[in-house]
Amino acid sequence: MTFLSNYHNLVEKIDHFCRDIENRYPESLVCQKGCSSCCRHISLFPVEALALNMALTALSWTTRKKIQHRAETAGPDDECPLLEDGACLMYSHRPVICRTHGLPILIKTPQGFRMDHCPLNFTTGEKPERAFTLDLEQLNTLLSTVNDLLITEVLDPGTLPERILLSQALTMEWQSA
Ligand code: SF4
């Protein structure tokens, strides 16, 4: 989809950097298929919600209906409606936050920058280096820019909240500008 090309390019770059981090710390990163403790209800920028919604339409009718039923009935404290048997039903289309889950991130606080990662990772004593850490603020700025571009060019901003729950993204109808 041309109007989602900025988003897809950004996702490709993020994925590339995440692979670099994983290759740098093969012993210290234990994230793997089946570990789904990060897969709770999340909220998305509209651009991510639209990308997920459009990817959903490519799935079979049965899978789509199953996912949408879960999305409609899931409570705010439930696991993500895309999670099935410990795996993501739309893994290749998962939002940016899911691609970075567990990896070392840099968070800006009033006191300066703070490093964080899943407590199950880096239990070997190894410490993540700055060059192999995701800067959360930079990531959000890039995502927000791509989001603003899409809203300006394609969507009707009057109909959109700033953030959209993943479960809503799976069931909502979109209106173009
Ligand atoms: S979209 Fe996929 S990876 Fe992201 S929280 Fe849901 S199940 Fe997990």
Side-chain angles (χ1 to χ4, degrees), residues 42-85:
I42 53 175
S43 70
L44 311 171
F45 279 104
V47 64
E48 295 187 282
L50 177 60
L52 194 65
N53 184 281
M54 301 210 72
L56 182 75
T57 61
L59 301 183
S60 72
W61 185 89
T62 316
T63 308
R64 205 164 65 232
K65 287 294 147 198
K66 176 175 68 176
I67 288 173
Q68 287 182 323
H69 175 69
R70 282 187 193 163
E72 281 161 358
T73 52
D77 297 325
D78 290 343
E79 62 185 25
C80 176
L82 287 175
L83 191 64
E84 184 167 281
D85 299 330

Side-chain angles (χ1 to χ4, degrees), residues 11-176:
V11 165
E12 199 177 300
K13 287 190 173 65
I14 293 168
D15 269 351
H16 193 275
F17 188 51
C18 291
R19 291 302 77 77
D20 284 349
I21 299 174
E22 287 163 4
N23 291 334
R24 180 73 182 85
Y25 303 113
E27 307 296 327
S28 297
L29 292 170
V30 297
C31 298
Q32 58 183 302
K33 190 172 180 181
C35 181
S36 53
S37 45
C38 292
C39 296
R40 313 306 302 175
H41 252 112
I42 53 175
S43 70
L44 311 171
F45 279 104
V47 64
E48 295 187 282
L50 177 60
L52 194 65
N53 184 281
M54 301 210 72
L56 182 75
T57 61
L59 301 183
S60 72
W61 185 89
T62 316
T63 308
R64 205 164 65 232
K65 287 294 147 198
K66 176 175 68 176
I67 288 173
Q68 287 182 323
H69 175 69
R70 282 187 193 163
E72 281 161 358
T73 52
D77 297 325
D78 290 343
E79 62 185 25
C80 176
L82 287 175
L83 191 64
E84 184 167 281
D85 299 330
C88 179
L89 288 168
M90 295 182 72
Y91 188 75
S92 58
H93 301 285
R94 69 200 186 288
V96 166
I97 190 170
C98 308
R99 293 167 195 268
T100 64
H101 268 153
L103 298 178
I105 52 169
L106 210 57
I107 303 165
K108 195 175 180 186
T109 71
Q111 291 76 37
F113 286 94
R114 176 173 69 82
M115 180 90 74
D116 200 11
H117 52 74
C118 172
L120 299 178
N121 289 331
F122 292 97
T123 56
T124 55
E126 192 173 28
K127 297 268 179 250
E129 302 149 87
R130 173 69 185 87
F132 291 91
T133 302
L134 288 149
D135 184 325
L136 201 58
E137 186 161 336
Q138 193 181 46
L139 200 64
N140 279 332
T141 304
L142 289 168
L143 203 45
S144 171
T145 306
V146 165
N147 183 66
D148 291 349
L149 269 174
L150 181 87
I151 289 180
T152 311
E153 290 170 5
V154 183
L155 299 175
D156 177 358
T159 63
L160 285 173
E162 274 184 32
R163 305 283 294 183
I164 296 170
L165 280 176
L166 183 139
S167 53
Q168 291 169 332
L170 295 167
T171 51
M172 72 191 290
E173 304 277 332
W174 293 85
Q175 290 178 27
S176 55

